[in-house]
Amino acid sequence: MLGLVLRGLATRKLRSALTAIAILLGVTMISGTLVLTDQIDRAFVQIFQAGNAKIDVVIKQKPPFENVQTSVYLNATIVDQVRKVDGVKTADPFIQTEGYLIANGESLNSTGGAPSFVFTSVAEDLNPYTPIEGRLPEASGEVAVAKEIAAKGDVAVGSKQQLATQDGIKDVTVVGILQYGNGDTSLGGSTTVLATLTDVQQWWALEGKASYIYVKAQDGVSQGELKDRIRSALPQQDLIVQTGREDADEQAGQLNDLIGKIIRYALLAFAGVAILVGAFIIYNTFSITVAQRTREFAMLRTIGASRRQILASVIGEAFLIGLLASVAGIVLGLGLAWGLGKLFGAIGFGLPATGLILSWQTVIVCLAVGIGITVLASIFPALRATKIAPIAALREGATLPVGRFAKFSPIIAVIIGVLGIAGMAYGLISSGSTTGRLTTLAGGAILIFLAVAMLSRYIVRPVVSVLGMPIGAVAGGVGRIASENAARNPARTAVTAAALMIGIGLVVFVTIFVGGIKASFTGAIDSSLKSEITVSARGFGGTIPAAVLPAVQGVEGVQTASPVGGTAVQIGNGGYALIGIDPTTLPDVYAFDWTDGSDALLGTLGTDKALVESKIAEELKVKPGGTIDVLSISGAKATFTVVGTYTDPTILNGIVVDQPALKPLLQSNATGLNTIFVRVADGTSVETVQAGVDEALKQFPTAQVQSNQEQKDQAASGVNTILVIFYALLALSVVISLFGIVNTLVLSIFERTREIGMLRAVGTTRRQLRAMIRWEAVITSIIGGVLGVLLGILFGWAVCKGLESDGLVFVFPTSQIIIFLVLSIVAGVLAAILPARRAAKLDVLAALSYE
Amino acid sequence: MSAEPEAAPVMAATGDVVVATDLTKIYGEGDSEVRALDGVSVSFPKGQLAAVMGPSGSGKSTLMHILAGLDRPTGGSVLVDGTELAGLNDQKLTLLRRDKIGFVFQFFNLLPMLTAKENIELPMKIAGAKPDPEWEATLVEATGLGTRLTHKPAELSGGQQQRVAVARALLSKPAVIFGDEPTGNLDSKTSGEVLDLLRRAVDEFGQTVIMVTHDASAAAIADRVLFLRDGKIVRDAGRLSAGEILDTIKTLE
């Protein structure tokens, strides 16, 4: 039987190849993703291990609660205690913060969203950085810079430059050019400047503080031994003592959670879509080939093959195709990972080169998914092949018997659809974990896709009747034949179209979803902000110096400059933003959307009352009159009485208190100021005032000044980048579905060889024949495109409605939808190229005598 | 060597619709060379129903394919309604078949998803032409398919399907209709219906029909019967009875 399977595959090369491609592309994506993320993972570990190569023990502050992005600091003076511990050779406080060099007027900050680091310089025997030119900074006003910055800004040792700090621009002298460990310094486009401890403490308001204490052991003292000794010398519960190795692994793990895993799961999700589309195509191809081979199977049955052997031969064929496609996919995946690595580098998000890693897990996952899906998709067609009676071998035009469950399939489809809708509804409105909700949401969507694919065979005929008229008008007789061909096997056309439907559906969905995010932000700016200009902190988690506020207030034409600050707090088990506002100026720049309360409440907040955003109030189950206990990132605690609730999931999304109430909860380096809303006096030009604010804030490079439109544009451009990435990833699924159309057409043409011979004999030109096949493809792709657009709109609408309280707005993307429909027609035309050429090349006489 | 006609055509010739001169068709090369046609010259006047007979491998199908522009000869010339086929590219040959030639195949070759009426109109639709409604009505009447026009081929008997195929060939009033074993897939009763229709096409509508057939009773309705063997015309007779035809075939085998 194996011999027969192999011979079968060999004689149906094109068909087998097209089927294999359907699964190959999905496997390629899985393999590429796993290889790439393994590479990222290993790169992170290498970087942090190289960084900690000289460090034996690390001491750090334990944050009061987990899952915070804000840095926490320890008391730097404990370094004196550490230095006294037996076995310590060197111990130095270390601070990690954000800032950048301004060389010859050019800001040398990071690219691609990576941080711009400023580190304190520690003793040479602890320092992960080594000067390749000059030396490490020692005196105040000295800095050393990474070699990439030096090269980019043409910075020479000994030159006078400027450093952007939280306290404004400082004059510095570059005394050294550095490399990290023994190689590259730039991780994901980040930049690094080293300065002295006292300068950093002063310029970032961190007097007496440090991020970590780095410790070097004396010779003969192991990391573990030293760690234990320091631990007993520093019994404070809020301090963490780790070996250098443990710290490196932890940091690599954290960064990997933040970047590597997100990349991994996002890419795998899209690979999953590609695999799903591939499964449809494999199912369809096997259904068609089993039907075409009815007589062959019947003949095998007459000469004594058992049902089991027939089943085994079809599944064996699927297994082989799956195996070959998976192996090819794994190899191509290595190429994909290599290419993606290059692409990241090209867009300024360089990954450290570690070579491609093909782990055995990758191989197993790829083989299991590739072969598993192919075999799974072939089971139903294989079972139908076993139903063929031996007598069919003797009958002219014997057809595959209808399956036992065929008459129940609409009912099954409806049940699957209802389950899918239930899954989506649960995912949208339940209050379970995010992962659980996303999983049910995705599962629901897959079930709905399946149900629609199963039911869409019933719409093929009506759609063809509608499309047939215009197509007949444009293409004449061949248009009519094309329409009829598309409709003659509705199940086949429907499944082929369904593969395209999935890709188009998700494209439409992400368009609506991302558009909703964009609209929620721009809508919030339009409806909530009365101010025209916003001053905010550049980079993440930053605050702006207190001196910025008076500077802005002093600008001519500024009517109101209202400061807003905040800190991360924990309430119950959840993390929230505690927002400090100025009650006298806020109403002039911001319009509250009250659900319970009024602007009059603002003046009564004092130090113990708070306003809560309505969705958060719901999560915390508090109403006006209730109280909330907050734990700040600084470790301080406070209790507030809720006096009012309002809705704003975008701008003031948190718990609003009066500024004096915020102050005691801030970390020592925080200014309690991160945003200033600026309202321009009536009759004054916004542009003029903005230019004035820009000028006034020249000394404060960490503060950025934006008009409302600029804020919207910034948000839109970030969101658009994500959209482009989504489109690129979904394009793969669309391409796979094109192979599905190609495959179905090739198989159908094969089936209709004699008809094609007749058509050519009675005077159909090659051009007309190609047009006929093109129209059939276009009808299929229109069905797929229209169903996809409808489902995409449905999903988009459901998710936007479900997340309405998070600010998501449903916007109907009319122009994009028109573009997607046109694209699906183009897809059909493209898919028809190869089959049309094959059909047109058929020899008329050979085709006429084809059986 | 081609045989001289034994009898003049029954109907007065107003010109030859199909003229073949010194046709050869060679497959393969060297030792494996097969001469399917070996210098065949033959003309078919307008309004004649001709049958081409011969044993398997005699070249009768090859001759018909070449005359109908479905295959190209190795040598010689074919004129169809005054047009020389040699040198026509695929596009021009296709258009010539569309405009001047009708076909009736052994396996009917109807499109299963189209109705009988749509199948009849198919070649004209492909050509982008409008069928003449009066002519179509006449044909439908002649085929006796009046009540079956909206049926799909699967709902028609073999004889009905082949009558649809004949109507399809007749609708565009081609210069010549080629039949490739038109009764080869039918029983004797339905064969008779189809042959009657072909006979009427010639007698009432003045069509020219050339058919290849194995069936002596089919050839017996022809005005002229050609016998081929080894790529040559060995007998070119006028109307023959089925018995005479069978006798001739025996001498050929």
Side-chain angles (χ1 to χ4, degrees), chain A residues 276-285 287-288 450 452-457 460 489-502 737 740-741 744 780 783-784 787:
Chain A
L276 179 69
V277 172
F280 271 79
I281 290 163
I282 289 163
Y283 167 79
N284 210 25
T285 309
S287 299
I288 300 170
L450 265 179
V452 173
M454 289 173 78
L455 290 172
S456 57
R457 57 186 300 177
V460 169
N489 203 327
R492 187 186 292 185
T493 304
V495 177
T496 310
L500 180 64
M501 163 189 87
I502 296 175
S737 62
I741 299 178
T744 304
T780 308
I783 294 174
L787 284 176

CSV table of all heavy atoms in Angstrom, one decimal, chain A residues 276-285 287-288 450 452-457 460 489-502 737 740-741 744 780 783-784 787:
chain,number,residue,atom,x,y,z
A,276,LEU,N,-4.6,27.3,10.0
A,276,LEU,CA,-6.1,27.1,9.8
A,276,LEU,C,-6.5,27.2,8.4
A,276,LEU,O,-7.2,26.3,7.9
A,276,LEU,CB,-6.8,28.1,10.7
A,276,LEU,CG,-8.4,28.0,10.7
A,276,LEU,CD1,-8.8,26.7,11.4
A,276,LEU,CD2,-9.0,29.2,11.4
A,277,VAL,N,-6.0,28.2,7.7
A,277,VAL,CA,-6.3,28.4,6.3
A,277,VAL,C,-5.8,27.2,5.5
A,277,VAL,O,-6.5,26.7,4.6
A,277,VAL,CB,-5.7,29.7,5.8
A,277,VAL,CG1,-5.9,29.8,4.3
A,277,VAL,CG2,-6.4,30.9,6.5
A,278,GLY,N,-4.6,26.8,5.8
A,278,GLY,CA,-4.0,25.6,5.2
A,278,GLY,C,-4.9,24.4,5.4
A,278,GLY,O,-5.0,23.6,4.4
A,279,ALA,N,-5.4,24.2,6.6
A,279,ALA,CA,-6.2,23.0,6.8
A,279,ALA,C,-7.5,23.0,5.9
A,279,ALA,O,-7.8,22.0,5.4
A,279,ALA,CB,-6.7,23.1,8.3
A,280,PHE,N,-8.1,24.2,5.7
A,280,PHE,CA,-9.2,24.3,4.8
A,280,PHE,C,-8.8,23.8,3.4
A,280,PHE,O,-9.6,23.0,2.7
A,280,PHE,CB,-9.7,25.7,4.7
A,280,PHE,CG,-10.7,26.1,5.7
A,280,PHE,CD1,-10.4,26.4,7.0
A,280,PHE,CD2,-12.1,26.1,5.4
A,280,PHE,CE1,-11.3,26.7,7.9
A,280,PHE,CE2,-13.0,26.4,6.3
A,280,PHE,CZ,-12.7,26.7,7.6
A,281,ILE,N,-7.6,24.2,3.0
A,281,ILE,CA,-7.2,23.9,1.6
A,281,ILE,C,-6.9,22.4,1.5
A,281,ILE,O,-7.3,21.7,0.5
A,281,ILE,CB,-6.0,24.7,1.2
A,281,ILE,CG1,-6.5,26.2,1.1
A,281,ILE,CG2,-5.3,24.3,0.0
A,281,ILE,CD1,-5.4,27.2,1.1
A,282,ILE,N,-6.3,21.8,2.5
A,282,ILE,CA,-6.0,20.4,2.5
A,282,ILE,C,-7.3,19.6,2.5
A,282,ILE,O,-7.4,18.7,1.7
A,282,ILE,CB,-5.1,20.0,3.7
A,282,ILE,CG1,-3.7,20.6,3.4
A,282,ILE,CG2,-5.0,18.5,3.8
A,282,ILE,CD1,-2.9,20.7,4.6
A,283,TYR,N,-8.2,20.0,3.3
A,283,TYR,CA,-9.5,19.3,3.4
A,283,TYR,C,-10.1,19.3,2.0
A,283,TYR,O,-10.6,18.3,1.5
A,283,TYR,CB,-10.4,20.0,4.4
A,283,TYR,CG,-11.8,19.6,4.3
A,283,TYR,CD1,-12.3,18.3,4.8
A,283,TYR,CD2,-12.8,20.3,3.6
A,283,TYR,CE1,-13.6,17.9,4.7
A,283,TYR,CE2,-14.1,19.9,3.5
A,283,TYR,CZ,-14.5,18.7,4.0
A,283,TYR,OH,-15.8,18.3,3.9
A,284,ASN,N,-10.1,20.5,1.4
A,284,ASN,CA,-10.8,20.7,0.1
A,284,ASN,C,-10.1,19.8,-1.0
A,284,ASN,O,-10.7,19.1,-1.8
A,284,ASN,CB,-10.8,22.1,-0.3
A,284,ASN,CG,-12.0,22.5,-1.2
A,284,ASN,OD1,-13.0,21.8,-1.1
A,284,ASN,ND2,-11.8,23.5,-2.0
A,285,THR,N,-8.7,19.9,-1.0
A,285,THR,CA,-8.0,19.2,-2.0
A,285,THR,C,-8.3,17.7,-1.9
A,285,THR,O,-8.5,17.0,-2.9
A,285,THR,CB,-6.5,19.4,-1.9
A,285,THR,OG1,-6.3,20.8,-1.8
A,285,THR,CG2,-5.7,18.9,-3.0
A,287,SER,N,-10.8,16.2,-0.5
A,287,SER,CA,-12.2,15.9,-0.9
A,287,SER,C,-12.3,15.8,-2.4
A,287,SER,O,-13.0,14.9,-2.9
A,287,SER,CB,-13.2,17.1,-0.4
A,287,SER,OG,-13.1,17.2,1.0
A,288,ILE,N,-11.7,16.7,-3.1
A,288,ILE,CA,-11.8,16.7,-4.6
A,288,ILE,C,-11.1,15.5,-5.1
A,288,ILE,O,-11.7,14.8,-6.0
A,288,ILE,CB,-11.3,18.0,-5.2
A,288,ILE,CG1,-12.0,19.2,-4.7
A,288,ILE,CG2,-11.4,18.0,-6.7
A,288,ILE,CD1,-11.4,20.5,-5.0
A,450,LEU,N,-15.6,28.4,11.0
A,450,LEU,CA,-16.0,27.1,10.6
A,450,LEU,C,-17.4,27.0,10.1
A,450,LEU,O,-17.8,26.4,9.1
A,450,LEU,CB,-15.7,26.1,11.7
A,450,LEU,CG,-14.4,25.4,11.7
A,450,LEU,CD1,-14.3,24.5,13.0
A,450,LEU,CD2,-14.2,24.6,10.5
A,452,VAL,N,-19.5,29.3,9.3
A,452,VAL,CA,-19.8,30.0,8.0
A,452,VAL,C,-19.3,29.3,6.8
A,452,VAL,O,-20.0,29.2,5.8
A,452,VAL,CB,-19.2,31.5,8.1
A,452,VAL,CG1,-19.4,32.2,6.7
A,452,VAL,CG2,-19.9,32.3,9.2
A,453,ALA,N,-18.1,28.7,7.0
A,453,ALA,CA,-17.5,27.9,5.9
A,453,ALA,C,-18.5,26.7,5.5
A,453,ALA,O,-18.7,26.4,4.3
A,453,ALA,CB,-16.2,27.4,6.2
A,454,MET,N,-19.0,26.1,6.6
A,454,MET,CA,-19.9,25.0,6.3
A,454,MET,C,-21.2,25.4,5.7
A,454,MET,O,-21.8,24.7,4.9
A,454,MET,CB,-20.2,24.2,7.6
A,454,MET,CG,-19.0,23.4,8.1
A,454,MET,SD,-19.3,22.7,9.8
A,454,MET,CE,-20.3,21.3,9.3
A,455,LEU,N,-21.7,26.6,6.1
A,455,LEU,CA,-23.0,27.0,5.6
A,455,LEU,C,-22.9,27.8,4.3
A,455,LEU,O,-23.9,27.9,3.6
A,455,LEU,CB,-23.7,27.9,6.7
A,455,LEU,CG,-24.2,27.2,7.9
A,455,LEU,CD1,-24.6,28.3,9.0
A,455,LEU,CD2,-25.3,26.3,7.6
A,456,SER,N,-21.7,28.3,4.0
A,456,SER,CA,-21.6,29.1,2.8
A,456,SER,C,-21.9,28.4,1.5
A,456,SER,O,-22.2,29.1,0.5
A,456,SER,CB,-20.3,29.8,2.8
A,456,SER,OG,-19.2,28.8,2.7
A,457,ARG,N,-21.9,27.1,1.5
A,457,ARG,CA,-22.3,26.4,0.3
A,457,ARG,C,-23.7,26.7,-0.2
A,457,ARG,O,-24.0,26.7,-1.3
A,457,ARG,CB,-22.2,24.9,0.5
A,457,ARG,CG,-23.0,24.4,1.6
A,457,ARG,CD,-22.8,22.9,1.9
A,457,ARG,NE,-23.1,22.1,0.7
A,457,ARG,CZ,-23.0,20.8,0.6
A,457,ARG,NH1,-22.5,20.2,1.7
A,457,ARG,NH2,-23.3,20.1,-0.4
A,460,VAL,N,-23.7,30.0,-2.3
A,460,VAL,CA,-22.9,30.0,-3.5
A,460,VAL,C,-23.9,30.3,-4.7
A,460,VAL,O,-23.7,31.2,-5.5
A,460,VAL,CB,-22.1,28.8,-3.7
A,460,VAL,CG1,-21.5,28.7,-5.2
A,460,VAL,CG2,-21.0,28.7,-2.7
A,489,ASN,N,-20.4,23.0,-8.1
A,489,ASN,CA,-20.0,22.2,-6.9
A,489,ASN,C,-19.9,23.1,-5.7
A,489,ASN,O,-18.8,23.5,-5.3
A,489,ASN,CB,-18.7,21.5,-7.2
A,489,ASN,CG,-18.5,20.3,-6.3
A,489,ASN,OD1,-19.0,20.3,-5.2
A,489,ASN,ND2,-17.9,19.2,-6.8
A,490,PRO,N,-21.1,23.5,-5.2
A,490,PRO,CA,-21.1,24.6,-4.2
A,490,PRO,C,-20.2,24.4,-3.0
A,490,PRO,O,-19.5,25.3,-2.5
A,490,PRO,CB,-22.6,24.7,-3.8
A,490,PRO,CG,-23.3,24.0,-4.8
A,490,PRO,CD,-22.4,23.0,-5.4
A,491,ALA,N,-20.1,23.1,-2.5
A,491,ALA,CA,-19.3,22.8,-1.4
A,491,ALA,C,-17.8,23.2,-1.6
A,491,ALA,O,-17.1,23.8,-0.8
A,491,ALA,CB,-19.5,21.4,-1.0
A,492,ARG,N,-17.4,22.8,-2.8
A,492,ARG,CA,-16.0,23.0,-3.2
A,492,ARG,C,-15.7,24.5,-3.3
A,492,ARG,O,-14.7,25.0,-2.7
A,492,ARG,CB,-15.8,22.3,-4.6
A,492,ARG,CG,-14.4,22.3,-5.0
A,492,ARG,CD,-14.3,21.8,-6.4
A,492,ARG,NE,-14.7,20.4,-6.5
A,492,ARG,CZ,-14.6,19.7,-7.6
A,492,ARG,NH1,-14.2,20.3,-8.8
A,492,ARG,NH2,-14.9,18.4,-7.7
A,493,THR,N,-16.6,25.2,-4.0
A,493,THR,CA,-16.4,26.7,-4.1
A,493,THR,C,-16.4,27.3,-2.7
A,493,THR,O,-15.6,28.2,-2.4
A,493,THR,CB,-17.5,27.3,-5.0
A,493,THR,OG1,-17.4,26.6,-6.3
A,493,THR,CG2,-17.3,28.7,-5.2
A,494,ALA,N,-17.4,26.9,-1.9
A,494,ALA,CA,-17.5,27.5,-0.6
A,494,ALA,C,-16.3,27.3,0.3
A,494,ALA,O,-15.8,28.2,0.9
A,494,ALA,CB,-18.7,26.9,0.1
A,495,VAL,N,-15.7,26.1,0.3
A,495,VAL,CA,-14.5,25.8,1.1
A,495,VAL,C,-13.3,26.6,0.6
A,495,VAL,O,-12.6,27.2,1.3
A,495,VAL,CB,-14.2,24.4,1.3
A,495,VAL,CG1,-13.0,24.1,2.1
A,495,VAL,CG2,-15.4,23.6,1.9
A,496,THR,N,-13.2,26.7,-0.7
A,496,THR,CA,-12.1,27.4,-1.3
A,496,THR,C,-12.3,28.9,-1.0
A,496,THR,O,-11.3,29.6,-0.6
A,496,THR,CB,-12.2,27.3,-2.9
A,496,THR,OG1,-12.3,25.9,-3.2
A,496,THR,CG2,-11.0,27.9,-3.5
A,497,ALA,N,-13.5,29.4,-1.1
A,497,ALA,CA,-13.7,30.8,-0.7
A,497,ALA,C,-13.5,31.0,0.8
A,497,ALA,O,-13.0,32.1,1.2
A,497,ALA,CB,-15.2,31.2,-1.1
A,498,ALA,N,-13.9,30.0,1.6
A,498,ALA,CA,-13.7,30.2,3.1
A,498,ALA,C,-12.3,30.4,3.5
A,498,ALA,O,-12.0,31.1,4.4
A,498,ALA,CB,-14.3,28.9,3.8
A,499,ALA,N,-11.4,29.8,2.8
A,499,ALA,CA,-9.9,30.0,3.1
A,499,ALA,C,-9.6,31.4,2.9
A,499,ALA,O,-8.9,32.0,3.8
A,499,ALA,CB,-9.1,29.1,2.2
A,500,LEU,N,-10.1,32.0,1.9
A,500,LEU,CA,-9.8,33.5,1.7
A,500,LEU,C,-10.6,34.3,2.7
A,500,LEU,O,-10.1,35.3,3.2
A,500,LEU,CB,-10.2,33.9,0.2
A,500,LEU,CG,-10.0,35.3,-0.2
A,500,LEU,CD1,-8.5,35.7,-0.1
A,500,LEU,CD2,-10.5,35.6,-1.5
A,501,MET,N,-11.8,33.9,3.0
A,501,MET,CA,-12.6,34.6,3.9
A,501,MET,C,-11.9,34.8,5.3
A,501,MET,O,-12.0,35.9,5.8
A,501,MET,CB,-13.9,33.8,4.2
A,501,MET,CG,-14.7,34.1,5.4
A,501,MET,SD,-16.0,32.9,5.7
A,501,MET,CE,-15.2,31.7,6.7
A,502,ILE,N,-11.2,33.8,5.7
A,502,ILE,CA,-10.5,33.9,7.0
A,502,ILE,C,-9.5,35.1,7.0
A,502,ILE,O,-9.5,35.9,7.9
A,502,ILE,CB,-9.8,32.6,7.4
A,502,ILE,CG1,-10.9,31.5,7.6
A,502,ILE,CG2,-9.0,32.7,8.7
A,502,ILE,CD1,-10.3,30.1,7.9
A,737,SER,N,-4.4,31.2,1.0
A,737,SER,CA,-5.7,30.9,0.4
A,737,SER,C,-5.7,31.0,-1.1
A,737,SER,O,-6.5,30.4,-1.8
A,737,SER,CB,-6.8,31.8,1.0
A,737,SER,OG,-6.5,33.2,0.8
A,740,GLY,N,-5.0,27.9,-2.4
A,740,GLY,CA,-6.2,27.1,-2.4
A,740,GLY,C,-7.1,27.3,-3.6
A,740,GLY,O,-7.6,26.3,-4.2
A,741,ILE,N,-7.2,28.5,-4.1
A,741,ILE,CA,-8.0,28.8,-5.3
A,741,ILE,C,-7.3,28.1,-6.5
A,741,ILE,O,-7.9,27.5,-7.3
A,741,ILE,CB,-8.2,30.3,-5.5
A,741,ILE,CG1,-8.9,30.9,-4.3
A,741,ILE,CG2,-8.9,30.6,-6.8
A,741,ILE,CD1,-9.1,32.4,-4.4
A,744,THR,N,-7.9,24.3,-6.3
A,744,THR,CA,-9.3,23.9,-6.7
A,744,THR,C,-9.5,24.1,-8.2
A,744,THR,O,-10.1,23.2,-8.8
A,744,THR,CB,-10.3,24.8,-5.9
A,744,THR,OG1,-10.0,24.7,-4.5
A,744,THR,CG2,-11.7,24.4,-6.2
A,780,THR,N,-15.2,33.0,-7.0
A,780,THR,CA,-14.8,32.4,-5.7
A,780,THR,C,-14.2,33.4,-4.8
A,780,THR,O,-14.5,33.5,-3.6
A,780,THR,CB,-13.8,31.3,-6.0
A,780,THR,OG1,-14.3,30.4,-7.0
A,780,THR,CG2,-13.5,30.5,-4.7
A,783,ILE,N,-16.8,35.8,-3.3
A,783,ILE,CA,-17.6,35.1,-2.2
A,783,ILE,C,-16.7,35.1,-1.0
A,783,ILE,O,-17.2,35.6,0.1
A,783,ILE,CB,-18.0,33.7,-2.6
A,783,ILE,CG1,-19.0,33.7,-3.8
A,783,ILE,CG2,-18.6,32.9,-1.4
A,783,ILE,CD1,-19.3,32.3,-4.3
A,784,GLY,N,-15.4,34.8,-1.1
A,784,GLY,CA,-14.6,34.8,0.1
A,784,GLY,C,-14.4,36.2,0.6
A,784,GLY,O,-14.5,36.4,1.8
A,787,LEU,N,-17.8,37.5,2.3
A,787,LEU,CA,-18.0,36.8,3.6
A,787,LEU,C,-17.0,37.3,4.6
A,787,LEU,O,-17.3,37.5,5.8
A,787,LEU,CB,-17.9,35.3,3.4
A,787,LEU,CG,-19.0,34.6,2.8
A,787,LEU,CD1,-18.7,33.1,2.6
A,787,LEU,CD2,-20.3,34.7,3.6
